[in-house]
Amino acid sequence: NAGVTQTPKFQVLKTGQSMTLQCAQDMNHNSMYWYRQDPGMGLRLIYYSASEGTTDKGEVPNGYNVSRLNKREFSLRLESAAPSQTSVYFCASSAHNLEQFFGPGTRLTVL
Amino acid sequence: GQQVMQIPQYQHVQEGEDFTTYCNSSTTLSNIQWYKQRPGGHPVFLIQLVKSGEVKKQKRLTFQFGEAKKNSSLHITATQTTDVGTYFCAASSGGSNYKLTFGKGTLLTVNP
């Protein structure tokens, strides 16, 4: 099992460009999450999907959209990237109210 | 929304010294989880505490959940260089909401 995979690993964008971060899990988990991690800020929840077909906003959703494509995949889209979105993005999944498994992260720089 | 305060933000110790990080909430928590993130890596689950006053041990790591379920601690005995990383607590308010609120983490560095 690969666990949680994320693509790409690194990305550099110019202000105003758009991109989609991909996430997939092979553990048959119902819940999936997107976080951003900035120095000194810990992990902040952007969006989550408690089950297939549902998505909800987290703590910092502005400037992002998500799609729960199926049970395995949960993508995060930046429609018009801004320098404030420079961060490390982690996808995670979990079964019910249990431990979260994290992907390796995407390091995004917006110039 | 729910907030979880974690202290200290940084801790530097000599190898062999003990280390403790604390997590506090103003509201009663359903459960609390602890994660470790090595430099350049991703968070990895360590443990979950659910019961009031619960204490769990993993080798040199001791995890406690307060009696009021509003605070928790992680204690490492005799630190080693392999303990280096950031330790996060993460709290759940329970119910059908599977969101976790993470503390800002404690970065532990160990001088060999």
Side-chain angles (χ1 to χ4, degrees), chain A residues 33-61:
Chain A
Y33 313 82
W34 275 106
Y35 295 91
R36 61 177 289 172
Q37 185 174 37
D38 303 292
M41 298 297 292
L43 289 154
R44 293 185 291 170
L45 184 65
I46 305 171
Y47 270 94
Y48 70 105
S49 172
S51 60
E52 185 179 357
T54 68
T55 61
D56 286 285
K57 294 179 180 179
E59 182 185 352
V60 288

Side-chain angles (χ1 to χ4, degrees), chain A residues 97-100, chain B residues 32-35 45 47-48 88-90 100:
Chain A
N97 205 14
L98 300 175
E99 65 185 279
Q100 292 190 9
Chain B
I32 196 155
Q33 298 178 6
W34 286 92
Y35 291 79
F45 175 81
I47 209 159
Q48 177 169 274
F88 293 97
C89 62
L100 288 177

Side-chain angles (χ1 to χ4, degrees), chain A residues 70-109:
Chain A
N70 47 56
K71 192 171 187 179
R72 290 187 64 249
E73 299 172 288
F74 188 38
S75 63
L76 178 72
R77 182 159 179 84
L78 287 69
E79 289 291 350
S80 179
S84 61
Q85 294 178 306
T86 293
S87 189
V88 180
Y89 291 86
F90 288 103
C91 176
S93 70
S94 72
H96 303 293
N97 205 14
L98 300 175
E99 65 185 279
Q100 292 190 9
F101 292 82
F102 284 79
T106 295
R107 282 151 181 79
L108 175 67
T109 301

Side-chain angles (χ1 to χ4, degrees), chain A residues 8-48:
Chain A
K9 285 187 169 54
F10 301 92
Q11 184 71 51
V12 179
L13 294 177
K14 294 181 180 179
T15 297
Q17 287 185 317
S18 62
M19 80 160 295
T20 300
L21 280 64
Q22 307 287 353
C23 175
Q25 52 92 9
D26 61 2
M27 295 174 282
N28 201 36
H29 287 164
N30 286 320
S31 302
M32 297 186 73
Y33 313 82
W34 275 106
Y35 295 91
R36 61 177 289 172
Q37 185 174 37
D38 303 292
M41 298 297 292
L43 289 154
R44 293 185 291 170
L45 184 65
I46 305 171
Y47 270 94
Y48 70 105

Side-chain angles (χ1 to χ4, degrees), chain B residues 21-75:
Chain B
T21 174
Y22 301 90
C23 197
N24 295 289
S25 170
S26 58
T27 60
T28 302
L29 304 172
S30 173
N31 62 66
I32 196 155
Q33 298 178 6
W34 286 92
Y35 291 79
K36 176 183 179 181
Q37 183 178 24
R38 295 183 185 274
H42 60 275
V44 175
F45 175 81
L46 293 176
I47 209 159
Q48 177 169 274
L49 304 172
V50 179
K51 298 177 183 177
S52 168
E54 189 169 15
V55 178
K56 287 188 176 180
K57 293 190 175 185
Q58 290 179 352
K59 297 182 180 178
R60 295 178 294 104
L61 277 62
T62 302
F63 304 84
Q64 291 189 315
F65 201 8
E67 293 290 342
K69 300 184 73 173
K70 290 184 176 182
N71 58 74
S72 181
S73 64
L74 158 59
H75 179 83

Side-chain angles (χ1 to χ4, degrees), chain B residues 79-101:
Chain B
T79 55
Q80 299 175 359
T81 54
T82 53
D83 295 325
V84 165
T86 301
Y87 293 85
F88 293 97
C89 62
S92 168
S93 57
S96 60
N97 181 339
Y98 301 141
K99 289 192 303 182
L100 288 177
T101 300

